[in-house]
Amino acid sequence: MSGKPKSGKSGGLRSGTAGGSKVTTKVVAKPGAMARRTPAGLVPNMDPIPMDRLADGSLAPKGYTMRPVVAAKNYDVVSFARAMNDDFAPRVKKLFDPERKAAVEAQRTGVYIGWRLPGQKFDCQRVSDTSLCFCGHLLGEHAQYNGRSVRVPCAQTGCKCKAFQWIPSRPEDVGEFWHQRRRNFDPTTWRAKCRCKHSHEQHDCTGMKACRAKGCSCSAFDSNFLCAACDKHWEEHETFFETEAMRVKEGLPTGEAYLPFAEMPNLRNAVLTGDESDDSAYLALTGGQGHIPISDRPHGNDAVFSPGGGNSRFRPVYD
């Protein structure tokens, strides 16, 4: 048997029976709002949501913005990334600018510096003088080197580093792109970390690289990240200093083939200039004075992909 409301207002307690069980419902309404009956009981009327009519005639909540999705011409990740990002080319240039600098420097000096797995036929990272070492100093702050150097010690006073070892200096280097979307994120504070949760700068730069943080029992640096190119841990890689002749003998890319995305002209142009259609920088590198040699392999966006032919192992991450 149904009970009567205890108050004549639109809010309060309302009781009744449902399936033999007594049910009590609390109703809250805005002052002066009329209530309406629903299967769940007595509820207040909601204010209507203001709507805007878009250019195509459809309706959307007022204040909402919609970005049209342009269908990709080809069913591949690059076309998809291009369709989803209006600033695709400038973002590619920013992401690969350190490697662009390293590739151009290598063709100018004849000294190639790569970070990769031993025996691998492509570099996971191209290295330059502005690249960071595990010890916390840049390569340019280490001793002089050449294409046959094996161990390049740090030249900074008090540093015990005996050999340059490239370490990621940006979250993008290890595929952690989400950091850039965090409010007030300062990229200069990011450091590659060990599984003990302490950064590489808190570990010894020699031997097994034990952690120096107070109370930490970590005896060796064990990266808590993976290489964005090969999905292997940092400690499985090595930094190689090589001449062009050494790389040719090992079947590694040199010259024009050493440029990021050398096998994909549109992306190569994006890395060099920030514009997929602008090949001026590439032509200057391959046709100007002191230019890098052009290989005789096939070119074009539909050319057969080869990991050993300048493969940058690009893995786009989308918003």
Side-chain angles (χ1 to χ4, degrees):
M1 182 174 179
S2 300
K4 294 182 180 180
K6 293 184 179 181
S7 173
K9 298 179 181 179
S10 59
L13 296 175
R14 184 174 183 82
S15 60
T17 57
S21 300
K22 187 174 180 179
V23 178
T24 301
T25 306
K26 186 175 181 179
V27 181
V28 180
K30 293 182 179 179
M34 296 297 293
R36 57 189 175 86
R37 187 179 299 278
T38 70
L42 196 64
V43 298
N45 286 326
M46 295 180 61
D47 293 333
I49 299 176
M51 305 290 284
D52 281 336
R53 188 171 295 280
L54 304 180
D56 61 359
S58 61
L59 294 175
K62 189 176 183 62
Y64 276 46
T65 58
M66 298 178 65
R67 184 171 64 177
V69 177
V70 181
K73 294 181 179 179
N74 301 311
Y75 293 100
D76 61 80
V77 293
V78 174
S79 294
F80 180 73
R82 187 182 293 114
M84 293 296 293
N85 297 278
D86 295 333
D87 57 346
F88 174 72
R91 291 177 67 174
V92 169
K93 184 180 188 307
K94 180 181 178 181
L95 178 62
F96 285 93
D97 209 51
E99 292 205 66
R100 175 201 62 79
K101 179 179 179 181
V104 173
E105 186 69 11
Q107 67 89 11
R108 185 182 68 83
T109 63
V111 179
Y112 292 77
I113 312 170
W115 182 73
R116 64 179 183 269
L117 297 176
Q120 188 170 261
K121 296 303 181 182
F122 64 86
D123 296 300
C124 293
Q125 182 75 27
R126 299 165 182 82
V127 178
S128 72
D129 279 350
T130 57
S131 297
L132 188 67
C133 175
F134 188 93
C135 71
H137 297 116
L138 305 180
L139 173 58
E141 297 175 306
H142 285 61
Q144 292 185 347
Y145 57 86
N146 57 45
R148 297 185 180 278
S149 296
V150 178
R151 300 171 67 85
V152 180
C154 187
Q156 301 307 298
T157 303
C159 187
K160 299 179 180 179
C161 172
K162 297 180 180 179
F164 177 88
Q165 298 178 81
W166 182 84
I167 190 80
S169 58
R170 307 180 301 167
E172 303 97 294
D173 293 335
V174 296
E176 297 181 358
F177 291 85
W178 60 85
H179 288 279
Q180 296 290 354
R181 293 194 283 272
R182 290 179 175 175
R183 182 179 298 178
N184 300 324
F185 172 70
D186 183 0
T188 63
T189 64
W190 186 89
R191 295 293 184 274
K193 292 184 177 181
C194 173
R195 288 187 179 180
C196 71
K197 299 184 179 180
H198 295 120
S199 74
H200 65 93
E201 293 178 338
Q202 294 173 283
H203 287 69
D204 289 332
C205 57
T206 58
M208 295 296 292
K209 300 177 174 55
C211 186
R212 301 191 307 271
K214 185 177 181 180
C216 185
S217 60
C218 172
S219 61
F221 186 85
D222 187 6
S223 60
N224 73 343
F225 57 89
L226 296 176
C227 172
C230 70
D231 283 338
K232 301 294 184 181
H233 281 281
W234 175 85
E235 52 272 19
E236 299 178 68
H237 293 70
E238 293 182 15
T239 303
F240 295 87
F241 292 78
E242 300 160 308
T243 64
E244 183 171 321
M246 292 167 64
R247 289 180 67 88
V248 169
K249 183 178 180 180
E250 293 296 324
L252 293 163
T254 60
E256 173 257 358
Y258 190 60
L259 292 171
F261 300 116
E263 70 285 346
M264 304 174 73
N266 284 359
L267 288 181
R268 178 204 63 207
N269 292 341
V271 170
L272 293 175
T273 66
D275 184 344
E276 292 185 73
S277 61
D278 184 0
D279 61 356
S280 58
Y282 174 72
L283 293 176
L285 286 172
T286 57
Q289 184 176 4
H291 66 275
I292 57 180
I294 300 177
S295 67
D296 57 359
R297 57 187 179 77
H299 287 69
N301 289 331
D302 296 322
V304 176
F305 179 72
S306 172
N311 174 25
S312 57
R313 313 299 287 178
F314 176 52
R315 297 182 181 183
V317 175
Y318 320 110
D319 290 335

